Each structure stands twice: as structure tokens, then as C-alpha cells.
Amino acid sequence: MTQPRGNRPFAMSGRAKAGLVLLVVYTIYAAAQLDFSWARFETGMGHASTFLARMFPPNFEKPATLWKGIAESLEIAALASVLGILLALPIGLLGARNMMPAWVSWPARSLVALCRALHPVIVAILFVKAVGFGALAGILALTVASIGFIGKLFTEAIEEISLKQVEAVRATGASFANVIIFGVLPQVFARFIGFATYQFDSNLRNSTMVGIVGAGGVGGTLFSAFQRFDYDFVSAILLTLIAIIMLGEIIASFVRAVFLDNLGFDRILQGRFAGARGISAGKPKVARKAEVDE
């Protein structure tokens, strides 16, 4: 069977082909300018194997130094997440074009765009210059990043809600605050919980990066270990960070289960153990079959 000429899969117009050719040519030009060659890559792999060999076994013989940096990173992530979420909520609401007039929404959206314009490490450098070295600069930098991320997603979530529920609440003569509480928030609460847990996870990772530029946290300890060629201690720091990030993922899944699925702690653990054993827990087989039939 012959395909119609206009319906060929992956068919491209002349402009698309020209654009693809330009992209390939520029990629080759950029690789040549940056000395991106297989010989350098192969040499780098040899250096990397030597570096990795010096990282093992990890050195956990400095628990006080390690824990001090880790604890400071956790505190920075927690404080920045709370402050960022509290500030992003009203800013995100003001930026929603279906709820606010243009003269309110555009400044709020511009503020969110400004917060997202720079990487947290760049913002951390600016705050280090402003408030000095230490955790305060890291907290402020990650708060700005949280406002940019949650503010943008929260604004978009509000703009996608159904206005029928909002109009129904307004029709009862409710105040503006009640319209937000009973008409808007119930429609975006689930997504907001997801944004908040993801941002805490992101802040936990970024709190190690801002420490490299002097904004507190375990990043400063990591950078010092690199400068001393103390690679086995570097390995211990990285393994601890990986463990904490994985623990954060588990905590985030618990938070989502509590707030979104309205599950108790015992039900969550029961589901986890059942899932580990390959058993689908939560509802009896008859109830699940009835849902499938329905």
C-alpha cells in the first residue's frame, strides 16, 4: 500500500532540512573550536581511572567534620525550602492571569522570571559578596531559586484550573480569600505538594553546590578535601550525600502518600513491604476486580 505523499512519516520541509544541515555544521564547528576530540576523551578516561582508584576505600575516619558539613547542608535546604514555598505561594497566585488583572500578574511573573534567570551558584556568589561567607548566603540563594521554580509551576497550575468551581464559590457571595481557599486551592493542592517535595530534594542537592563558593554546607568541606588531594575523604562525602538524597526521595514519597492519598503511616509501611514482596496491597482482590470491571 502506497503512503499518500503528504502523510509520509518524518517528512521534512525544505526549511526544516536546511535548519538541520545548519545545526549539524554548527555542531562540527563547535567541536573543532573546543578541541572536542576522541584522543582527549581517551586520555581523560585514564586520568579518571587513577582518580577513582584513589577514592576507594572511602575514609570515614573524620565523622565530626563530615557530619558538621552534612548537618549544615540539611539546615540550609530545610530553611530555604520553607521560606521559598511561603514566598512563592502569594507570588504564584498573583501571577495567574485567569485570577488577576494584567497590571498585577505581569510584575509577579517578571519577579518569578528574574528569580529563575541565574543558576543558584551564581546567586550564591552575589549573596556571599552581600552578606559574607556562611550559611546565610546559601539560604538566601536557594530561597530565590525556590521562588523561581515553585512560583512558575504554581502559576501555571492555577491557570489550568476549571473556573466553574471558582464561579460557583463566587456565586455564594464569598470573599476573595474564600474563593481562593475553596475554589482554587483544592484544585491545585495535589500538584503543589509534588512541587514542594521536588524543590526540597533539589535544594538538598544544590546546598552542596553553593558551599563550594563559600555559602555554607558540605560543599566547602568537599572543596577543601579536593584541594588537599584527600580523595578517600571525598569519596566518603559523596557516598554520604547519595545516601541522604535517597533518604530524601523516600521521605518525599511518604509526604505525597500522606497528603495526596490520605494514608496513615501504618498503611504506607504495609504497602511498601507488600510491594517489596511483589504483592499488590491496599485493596482486597474483589474490590480491585470490581474497579476493573467498572
Side-chain angles (χ1 to χ4, degrees):
M1 182 177 177
T2 306
Q3 286 277 357
R5 185 178 180 81
N7 295 332
R8 287 183 303 171
F10 309 110
M12 292 189 295
S13 64
R15 290 182 180 178
K17 291 178 182 176
L20 182 60
V21 170
L22 285 176
L23 177 62
V24 172
V25 170
Y26 182 75
T27 302
I28 296 172
Y29 168 78
Q33 290 295 313
L34 298 177
D35 194 16
F36 185 79
S37 63
W38 175 255
R40 285 196 63 190
F41 179 76
E42 195 173 16
T43 305
M45 288 297 101
H47 294 160
S49 62
T50 305
F51 172 68
L52 290 174
R54 296 179 62 181
M55 291 179 69
F56 291 94
N59 179 11
F60 289 95
E61 295 177 357
K62 303 173 187 175
T65 305
L66 178 61
W67 175 245
K68 182 181 177 182
I70 293 291
E72 193 169 67
S73 287
L74 289 172
E75 292 162 359
I76 290 172
L79 284 173
S81 299
V82 171
L83 289 174
I85 290 169
L86 291 178
L87 293 173
L89 274 174
I91 295 174
L93 177 63
L94 293 175
R97 286 173 291 197
N98 58 342
M99 298 298 299
M100 296 292 169
W103 62 271
V104 174
S105 64
W106 279 110
R109 297 172 74 89
S110 300
L111 177 60
V112 170
L114 181 64
C115 292
R116 297 179 62 249
L118 298 176
H119 192 276
V121 174
I122 306 297
V123 180
I125 294 174
L126 299 177
F127 277 117
V128 165
K129 293 294 183 183
V131 301
F133 291 100
L136 179 60
I139 293 170
L140 294 175
L142 296 184
T143 300
V144 170
S146 301
I147 293 172
F149 178 78
I150 297 182
K152 176 179 174 56
L153 295 182
F154 194 51
T155 298
E156 292 178 352
I158 294 176
E159 289 180 344
E160 294 172 0
I161 64 173
S162 168
L163 292 179
K164 293 180 180 178
Q165 185 172 337
V166 176
E167 294 301 328
V169 177
R170 278 178 179 160
T172 64
S175 63
F176 178 75
N178 284 333
V179 170
I180 299 299
I181 293 172
F182 298 104
V184 176
L185 291 183
Q187 298 189 61
V188 297
F189 182 72
R191 298 180 67 180
F192 174 72
I193 293 296
F195 301 155
T197 54
Y198 180 79
Q199 185 59 36
F200 176 73
D201 181 62
S202 176
N203 282 342
L204 199 55
R205 290 193 300 269
N206 288 332
S207 64
T208 64
M209 296 171 58
V210 298
I212 295 175
V213 295
V218 75
T221 309
L222 184 65
F223 188 60
S224 299
F226 268 116
Q227 287 185 315
R228 295 193 307 269
F229 304 103
D230 197 359
Y231 294 129
D232 52 355
F233 188 49
V234 168
S235 176
I237 295 173
L238 295 180
L239 290 175
T240 307
L241 286 174
I242 292 171
I244 290 176
I245 295 296
M246 294 179 71
L247 180 63
E249 286 282 340
I250 295 173
I251 294 174
S253 66
F254 271 70
V255 171
R256 283 192 289 268
V258 169
F259 283 96
L260 304 185
D261 300 332
N262 199 24
L263 297 179
F265 189 73
D266 54 338
R267 292 282 305 279
I268 296 172
L269 287 180
Q270 184 183 359
R272 296 287 176 187
F273 288 134
R277 295 197 301 269
I279 303 172
S280 179
K283 293 182 179 180
K285 291 182 179 178
V286 176
R288 288 199 302 273
K289 185 177 184 303
E291 286 183 356
V292 171
D293 292 339
E294 185 180 358

